[in-house]
Amino acid sequence: MSAWVFDEVKGFLVGLGLGTIVAEIVYALIRSSEKFWWLLAWMVFIALFIFFAQIAPVVLFPIFYKFKPLQNEELKARLLRLSEKAGTYVRGVYEWKLSEKSKKANAALTGLGRTRRIILADTLLQNYSDDEIEAILAHELGHHVRKHIAKSMVFQAAITLLGFWLADAALRYAVNERHMFAEVYDFANLPLLALVSTTLSFLLMPIMNAWSRHNEREADLYCWQSVPDVAPFVSSMYKLSAQNLSERKPSRIVEVLFHSHPAVSKRIASAEQYASQHSDAKS
């Protein structure tokens, strides 16, 4: 209980610190360039997004989790070969002490450039075979091969630009038409900016989730093409679904509105269909 409270406090302090910095930057830009602040703020946010994506594995993640180099040399070599095959250079493979905070299992390819690394949850290492872990990582590498990270950054940049433009329009309407604030740079309008951001995120959620599900299907396909057999992928999906308490067959409306991944049942069915088609082709 104390560890959970400590993590919540750390998360609050980190969020408060970053939020304060972001707010100061935004209002400094409004004061310095009231007409084009939204465009300048967008450029600053993109730079910060790339910066934090790069430092997250070595600065932010260790605040909440413990990491150590993976001790299983055979699995490490296997995963590094898989990464090289995908054209991805990683700085190492690390065990992620997730069991101290959660019973869930996960694996990820994190960081950019020199900070890029493979992280494997200890809950994954304890309960999954090497074949299953390889299949899970192959899926993650599929995002790199299909350039989903770069595409998603462009997609997110476009949405962020729209958000800042709408925020500027809302502020000007509130000041010039409704006379709610004395100036555009009045710090009292911060809740209005938060409302614009939240509303836009909610309205665009189905589109963003649809884009994400498309990327996940492409990453799955890369996985099936990269491993000798889809059986470890299928078994890992069953295990992850049970361990992470995810719904295997959500209703269509729930999947469309809220799920960033295709339903587990659909992913398994697609994998088995892929295996059947390619088995027939070989025979």
Side-chain angles (χ1 to χ4, degrees), residues 18-84:
L18 293 177
T20 300
I21 292 172
V22 167
E24 290 292 343
I25 290 174
V26 167
Y27 282 92
L29 291 173
I30 294 176
R31 288 190 295 269
S32 63
S33 180
E34 188 173 313
K35 187 176 182 179
F36 296 108
W37 73 268
W38 58 277
L39 186 58
L40 297 173
W42 172 74
M43 290 187 286
V44 170
F45 266 62
I46 296 304
L48 287 175
F49 179 82
I50 296 172
F51 172 71
F52 282 116
Q54 186 168 26
I55 70 168
V58 294
V59 176
L60 298 180
F61 292 174
I63 295 176
F64 302 97
Y65 300 101
K66 296 177 183 177
F67 296 88
K68 70 175 184 178
L70 182 65
Q71 300 300 309
N72 187 334
E73 293 296 331
E74 181 180 349
L75 177 60
K76 177 181 177 180
R78 186 172 176 177
L79 298 181
L80 288 176
R81 286 195 298 270
L82 189 66
S83 301
E84 291 173 0

Side-chain angles (χ1 to χ4, degrees), residues 11-228:
F12 172 76
L13 293 176
V14 170
L16 179 63
L18 293 177
T20 300
I21 292 172
V22 167
E24 290 292 343
I25 290 174
V26 167
Y27 282 92
L29 291 173
I30 294 176
R31 288 190 295 269
S32 63
S33 180
E34 188 173 313
K35 187 176 182 179
F36 296 108
W37 73 268
W38 58 277
L39 186 58
L40 297 173
W42 172 74
M43 290 187 286
V44 170
F45 266 62
I46 296 304
L48 287 175
F49 179 82
I50 296 172
F51 172 71
F52 282 116
Q54 186 168 26
I55 70 168
V58 294
V59 176
L60 298 180
F61 292 174
I63 295 176
F64 302 97
Y65 300 101
K66 296 177 183 177
F67 296 88
K68 70 175 184 178
L70 182 65
Q71 300 300 309
N72 187 334
E73 293 296 331
E74 181 180 349
L75 177 60
K76 177 181 177 180
R78 186 172 176 177
L79 298 181
L80 288 176
R81 286 195 298 270
L82 189 66
S83 301
E84 291 173 0
K85 181 181 177 182
T88 305
Y89 177 74
V90 297
R91 300 288 290 184
V93 183
Y94 292 84
E95 181 179 345
W96 170 18
K97 295 293 185 178
L98 184 60
S99 62
E100 297 177 354
K101 312 292 176 69
S102 173
K103 293 183 179 180
K104 293 183 177 182
N106 205 350
L109 183 67
T110 66
L112 297 173
R114 294 183 178 181
T115 65
R116 176 162 290 183
R117 60 195 59 199
I118 297 168
I119 58 174
L120 306 172
D122 55 352
T123 49
L124 193 76
L125 295 168
Q126 294 163 5
N127 302 303
Y128 294 71
S129 69
D130 287 0
D131 287 344
E132 289 170 333
I133 294 174
E134 182 182 42
I136 292 170
L137 182 64
H139 167 88
E140 298 301 325
L141 290 169
H143 290 301
H144 167 80
V145 173
R146 302 301 183 193
K147 303 187 186 313
H148 292 159
I149 296 175
K151 292 176 181 177
S152 295
M153 289 177 67
V154 172
F155 186 54
Q156 190 63 50
I159 292 175
T160 304
L161 181 61
L162 174 62
F164 276 117
W165 179 80
L166 289 174
D168 178 64
L171 287 181
R172 295 189 184 283
Y173 176 77
V175 172
N176 299 326
E177 302 297 330
R178 305 296 296 179
H179 306 292
M180 297 171 62
F181 310 103
E183 301 288 348
V184 174
Y185 54 77
D186 188 343
F187 194 72
N189 60 39
L190 180 60
L192 177 60
L193 294 182
L195 178 61
V196 171
S197 175
T198 302
T199 302
L200 181 63
S201 297
F202 178 76
L203 293 175
L204 292 179
M205 186 183 296
I207 297 175
M208 296 176 69
N209 283 338
W211 168 258
S212 177
R213 290 194 301 272
H214 169 75
N215 290 343
E216 295 299 329
R217 286 191 290 268
E218 286 193 342
D220 279 350
L221 178 59
Y222 176 81
C223 169
W224 307 332
Q225 294 170 338
S226 302
V227 296

